[in-house]
């Protein structure tokens, strides 16, 4: 066959152009308030990404914004996938990013709770793409650092996408487990009878069945009344009884260890806390996160993304741990959580043990209890977002909102229509039901809006981490070449440099306030300046150790020095950063 070389070259040129041209010309677009107008990394936030997709996005963001983003792998998953971390900050302004007050964000600790990865990625993308023309973001990244780990369960994330599952499976990772102790590892997953990637429901016609089709939407099955006869029997999840014991799919994921029961605070073994694995941090992914956090004491705030239910959760996870959350810290949590309710319509600020159930060995309890970091777990997606109303606003139509939402807004794309199948054990049956991408996951068109709102809550949280300043420096001549120097250090934000939990267990070192230049004869903390009440630090008086700089508060320190000339006062706080002033 004779080839047309000119046509091939033209086609190649079009292909290269399509691949390399990402952003539109500036004169072709007009900025929508609050959104990047012409991003360097063109993204669609209406779909989900597997681990390869997440890797690609992370690399693109880091390559497009080298002065704002650094990419690293903080460890490997059980199957060897990288746990990517995006460090977002203004690397040219504000000093060492590892010493700025920081916020840690992760998602997808549970394999079927996937959208947290996209929400975390959206945060990284938005911060970098908005930096150029948004003063608030410029000031934020000059002061703060974000550590963003999109997924901490990449193996099971890929399994959820690429293998047959339903909306609730699998929850764990993919470390093989012998569920029934028969010496064989049960890791075969579910039986996808029609090979469509979704594990839905099975039903069989039965004139004495207890189920019938809903008259308002025949796709839905409803149970009949006590004196009614139904048309169907429900046979459970799509699958096969592999060993003849009457149970379908028990050889799939019967025992699922729970990565959110693996953390080293309040941990309990599996016979007490179902889902716990061998010992705290026995899972490589969680251990990698723990080691990263331990190496970054500047982390003062944290956010973990789960699904679903529209909740802003704080600990404690277990009632026995209620005393851990000191009243002072709870007041700070309340300010943050209630602001979250304003920013996230349909979401509720709740306490895990009180409003849900007791859970031990959870991530948010380790972050707070073990590290003194104010931490939330947001349960993403709420049915409120379907029609912007809650269950209390029901129109009494008796119509299931999920079916209505799928019918009128998703055009039945979220439902596998009931269809016949010749089952090897049950004979002629029907298979149908909601797909795995509906029920817990955001429909595509609602993802970006909710990602933005959840990001705004994280930004508010990060903004409230300590912002220190040396408010004033006063000098008093004492005669004989001696001078009294008094400095007032303030914290403009509501989060202190040490949480009450931190102070109780001395998790992090004190804040250091030092003076260099003159000879220091004495150093002290001023408890009451009006009454001149002080507490002297007799050892190493040039560097005063302060237990805490409270939120929206001050500390006052004083030195007696000998000599004249310039001197520098420096504040060095793990969670508050470093600053200095020369006089």
């Amino acid at each position: 066959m004779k080839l047309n070389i000119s046509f091939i070259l033209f086609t190649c040129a079009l292909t290269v152009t399509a691949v390399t041209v990402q952003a539109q010309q500036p004169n072709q677009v007009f900025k929508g308030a609050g959104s990047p107008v012409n991003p360097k990394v063109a993204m669609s936030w209406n779909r989900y990404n597997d681990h390869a997709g997440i890797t690609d996005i992370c690399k693109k963001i880091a390559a497009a914004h080298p002065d704002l983003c650094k990419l690293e792998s903080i460890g490997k998953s059980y199957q060897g996938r990288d746990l990517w971390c995006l460090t977002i900050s203004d690397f040219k302004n504000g000093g060492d990013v590892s010493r700025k007050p920081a916020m840690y964000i992760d998602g997808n600790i549970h394999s079927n709770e996937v959208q947290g990865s996209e929400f975390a990625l959206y945060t990284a993308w938005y911060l970098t793409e908005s930096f150029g023309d948004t003063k608030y973001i410029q000031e934020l990244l000059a002061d703060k650092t974000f550590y963003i780990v999109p997924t901490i369960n990449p193996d099971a994330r890929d399994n959820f996408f690429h293998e047959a599952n339903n909306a609730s499976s699998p929850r764990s990772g993919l470390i093989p487990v012998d569920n029934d102790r028969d010496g064989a590892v049960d890791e075969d997953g579910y039986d996808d009878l029609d090979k469509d990637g979704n594990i839905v429901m099975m039903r069989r016609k039965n004139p004495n069945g207890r189920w019938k089709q809903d008259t308002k939407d025949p796709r839905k099955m409803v149970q009949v009344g006590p004196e009614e006869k139904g048309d169907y029997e429900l046979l459970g999840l799509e699958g096969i009884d592999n060993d003849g014991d009457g149970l379908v799919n028990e050889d799939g994921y019967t025992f699922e260890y729970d990565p959110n029961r693996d953390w080293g605070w309040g941990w309990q073994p599996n016979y007490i806390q179902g889902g716990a694995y061998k010992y705290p941090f026995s899972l490589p992914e969680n251990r990698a996160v723990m080691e990263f956090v331990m190496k970054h004491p500047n982390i003062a705030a944290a956010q973990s993304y789960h699904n679903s239910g529209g909740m802003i959760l704080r600990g404690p996870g277990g009632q026995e741990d209620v005393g851990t959350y000191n009243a002072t810290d709870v007041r700070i949590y309340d300010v943050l959580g209630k602001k979250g309710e304003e920013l996230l319509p349909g979401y509720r600020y709740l306490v895990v043990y009180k409003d849900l159930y007791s859970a031990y060995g959870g991530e948010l309890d380790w972050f707070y209890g073990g590290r003194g970091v104010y931490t939330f777990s947001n349960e993403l997606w709420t049915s409120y977002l379907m029609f912007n109303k809650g269950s209390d606003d029901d129109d009494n139509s008796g119509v299931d909102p999920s079916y209505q939402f799928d019918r009128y807004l998703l055009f039945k794309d979220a439902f596998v229509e009931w269809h016949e199948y010749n089952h090897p054990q049950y004979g002629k049956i029907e298979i149908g039901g909601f797909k795995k991408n509906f029920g817990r996951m955001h429909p595509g068109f609602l993802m970006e809006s909710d990602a933005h709102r959840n990001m705004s809550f994280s930004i508010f949280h990060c903004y409230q981490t300590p912002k220190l300043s040396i408010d004033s420096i006063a000098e008093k001549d004492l005669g004989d070449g001696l001078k009294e120097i008094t400095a007032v250090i303030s914290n403009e934000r509501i989060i202190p440099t040490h949480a009450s939990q931190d102070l109780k267990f001395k998790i992090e070192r004190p804040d250091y306030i030092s003076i260099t230049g003159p000879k220091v004869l004495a150093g002290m903390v001023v408890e009451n300046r009006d009454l001149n009440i002080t507490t002297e630090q007799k050892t190493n008086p040039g560097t005063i150790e302060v237990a805490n700089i409270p939120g929206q508060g001050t500390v006052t320190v004083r030195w007696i020095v000998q000599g004249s000339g310039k001197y520098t006062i420096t504040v060095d706080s793990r969670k508050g950063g470093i600053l200095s002033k020369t006089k």
Side-chain angles (χ1 to χ4, degrees):
M1 181 175 66
K2 186 175 180 180
L3 299 177
N4 187 322
I5 301 300
S6 297
F7 175 77
I8 293 174
L9 292 174
F10 175 73
T11 302
C12 290
L14 286 178
T15 302
V16 170
T17 301
V19 170
T20 57
V21 175
Q22 294 183 349
Q24 293 176 269
Q25 297 300 314
N27 61 348
Q28 294 177 320
V29 293
F30 184 75
K31 182 179 175 68
S35 295
V37 63
N38 203 24
K40 294 181 180 179
V41 180
M43 286 295 302
S44 295
W45 296 107
N46 59 0
R47 59 195 181 196
Y48 296 91
N49 303 274
D50 66 5
H51 185 258
I54 287 173
T55 300
D56 184 56
I57 295 169
C58 288
K59 289 182 177 180
K60 285 179 178 178
I61 292 173
H65 303 280
D67 294 333
L68 299 174
C69 178
K70 304 297 181 186
L71 177 64
E72 65 177 312
S73 173
I74 65 171
K76 298 282 188 178
S77 68
Y78 174 78
Q79 293 184 341
R81 292 177 175 85
D82 282 300
L83 302 174
W84 295 116
C85 176
L86 293 156
T87 299
I88 309 292
S89 189
D90 186 346
F91 283 79
K92 289 188 172 182
N93 189 19
D96 183 356
V97 299
S98 68
R99 297 307 313 275
K100 296 179 183 180
M103 179 162 199
Y104 169 88
I105 301 173
D106 71 30
N108 191 209
I109 188 171
H110 291 136
S111 53
N112 65 320
E113 301 184 10
V114 294
Q115 64 265 58
S117 297
E118 276 67 33
F119 283 35
L121 281 172
Y122 179 85
T123 302
W125 175 83
Y126 186 91
L127 289 171
T128 52
E129 296 292 353
S130 298
F131 181 85
D133 63 359
T134 307
K135 185 178 180 181
Y136 183 94
I137 302 300
Q138 294 168 359
E139 293 174 348
L140 181 73
L141 295 186
D143 289 344
K144 313 293 185 183
T145 296
F146 288 81
Y147 300 117
I148 299 175
V149 183
T151 174
I152 59 175
N153 196 351
D155 298 344
R157 178 185 183 85
D158 275 15
N159 177 279
F160 177 78
F161 287 142
H162 298 302
E163 303 297 331
N165 286 291
N166 61 27
S168 298
S169 68
R171 181 175 173 84
S172 68
L174 291 180
I175 296 177
V177 176
D178 179 7
N179 296 328
D180 50 14
R181 300 184 182 181
D182 61 357
V185 171
D186 299 320
E187 54 179 351
D188 295 331
Y190 291 114
D191 302 309
D192 184 9
L193 300 179
D194 56 1
K195 308 301 180 186
D196 68 348
N198 294 288
I199 300 299
V200 288
M201 298 297 294
M202 300 186 297
R203 72 183 185 186
R204 181 169 59 185
K205 289 187 177 180
N206 183 340
N208 295 307
R210 302 305 302 161
W211 296 85
K212 65 179 181 179
Q213 294 174 302
D214 190 343
T215 57
K216 296 181 175 62
D217 192 316
R219 297 179 300 168
K220 182 182 179 182
M221 301 300 296
V222 294
Q223 201 163 10
V224 297
E227 297 183 2
E228 283 186 279
K229 279 191 176 183
D231 304 306
Y232 290 91
E233 59 177 318
L234 291 184
L235 302 172
L237 287 177
E238 173 184 354
I240 298 173
D241 178 6
N242 297 316
D243 52 14
D245 63 356
L247 300 175
V248 171
N249 277 324
E250 81 274 22
D251 292 328
Y253 302 103
T254 306
F255 170 77
E256 293 187 7
Y257 62 83
D258 188 332
N260 204 35
R261 306 294 183 265
D262 183 61
W263 300 79
W265 186 269
W267 185 89
Q268 298 291 337
N270 183 60
Y271 69 88
I272 295 176
Q273 172 63 78
Y277 199 41
K278 297 178 179 179
Y279 48 82
F281 301 116
S282 56
L283 302 178
E285 298 88 350
N286 292 357
R287 187 164 61 250
V289 172
M290 177 270 290
E291 291 172 352
F292 178 83
V293 172
M294 295 294 288
K295 292 174 184 176
H296 294 80
N298 60 322
I299 295 173
Q303 174 70 60
S304 179
Y305 286 129
H306 294 238
N307 80 30
S308 60
M311 292 176 276
I312 304 164
L313 298 178
R314 71 157 175 89
Q319 185 173 2
E320 296 84 346
D321 209 22
V322 66
T324 300
Y325 283 70
N326 180 281
T328 301
D329 288 342
V330 168
R331 283 194 291 270
I332 294 169
Y333 269 111
D334 288 348
V335 170
L336 297 170
K338 288 172 183 176
K339 175 58 70 173
E341 287 185 326
E342 294 178 18
L343 300 175
L344 297 164
Y347 283 66
R348 298 165 296 152
Y349 167 53
L350 303 173
V351 180
V352 175
Y353 89 89
K354 185 171 68 174
D355 298 305
L356 297 177
Y357 46 76
S358 285
Y360 304 98
E363 183 181 13
L364 84 168
D365 280 333
W366 177 78
F367 264 87
Y368 174 74
R371 298 305 302 155
V373 174
Y374 297 91
T375 307
F376 291 95
S377 284
N378 282 18
E379 297 284 355
L380 305 172
W381 175 247
T382 165
S383 59
Y384 176 91
L385 298 176
M386 292 195 292
F387 295 106
N388 291 330
K389 63 181 182 180
S391 58
D392 294 337
D393 304 319
D394 189 15
D395 58 9
N396 296 315
S397 66
V399 179
D400 189 315
S402 295
Y403 287 85
Q404 293 293 290
F405 183 78
D406 177 47
R407 178 181 176 183
Y408 292 111
L409 286 144
L410 304 181
F411 312 107
K412 298 186 178 182
D413 184 47
F415 195 90
V416 176
E417 296 292 340
W418 291 100
H419 57 285
E420 288 189 353
Y421 183 82
N422 189 21
H423 195 281
Q425 294 163 317
Y426 299 137
K428 184 180 290 186
I429 66 168
E430 296 177 12
I431 303 172
F434 282 111
K435 298 177 182 178
K436 65 184 176 183
N437 66 353
F438 183 73
R440 300 179 69 97
M441 297 167 62
H442 286 72
F445 80 98
L446 288 176
M447 282 181 66
E448 183 167 356
S449 173
D450 207 26
H452 188 91
R453 288 182 175 277
N454 275 272
M455 176 201 68
S456 72
F457 175 56
S458 290
I459 286 179
F460 177 77
H461 189 178
C462 184
Y463 176 84
Q464 295 299 341
T465 60
K467 182 174 176 59
L468 307 181
S469 61
I470 302 173
D471 265 8
S472 64
I473 301 173
E475 299 178 6
K476 181 179 179 181
D477 188 354
L478 301 179
D480 295 326
L482 301 180
K483 185 186 297 183
E484 177 186 277
I485 300 176
T486 302
V488 178
I489 315 301
S490 70
N491 179 2
E492 299 176 23
R493 307 291 159 74
I494 66 172
I495 293 179
T497 56
H498 295 74
S500 295
Q501 176 73 355
D502 186 344
L503 294 173
K504 180 179 179 180
F505 290 99
K506 295 181 170 56
I507 296 171
E508 193 47 75
R509 67 158 173 81
D511 301 320
Y512 297 153
I513 305 174
S514 59
I515 186 169
T516 55
K519 181 179 179 180
V520 179
L521 303 179
M524 61 207 74
V525 176
V526 180
E527 310 291 351
N528 188 313
R529 196 168 181 180
D530 294 324
L531 300 178
N532 199 30
I533 299 174
T534 63
T535 300
E536 184 179 359
Q537 178 180 300
K538 296 184 178 180
T539 304
N540 191 22
T543 300
I544 299 175
E545 298 184 4
V546 175
N548 186 37
I549 304 175
Q552 294 184 324
T554 63
V555 296
T556 303
V557 295
R558 180 175 292 161
W559 296 274
I560 306 299
V561 302
Q562 187 177 55
S564 58
K566 289 186 177 181
Y567 55 87
T568 299
I569 295 175
T570 301
V571 180
D572 182 348
S573 170
R574 289 292 201 201
K575 290 182 171 63
I578 299 177
L579 65 151
S580 62
K581 181 180 286 188
T582 299
K583 192 170 180 181

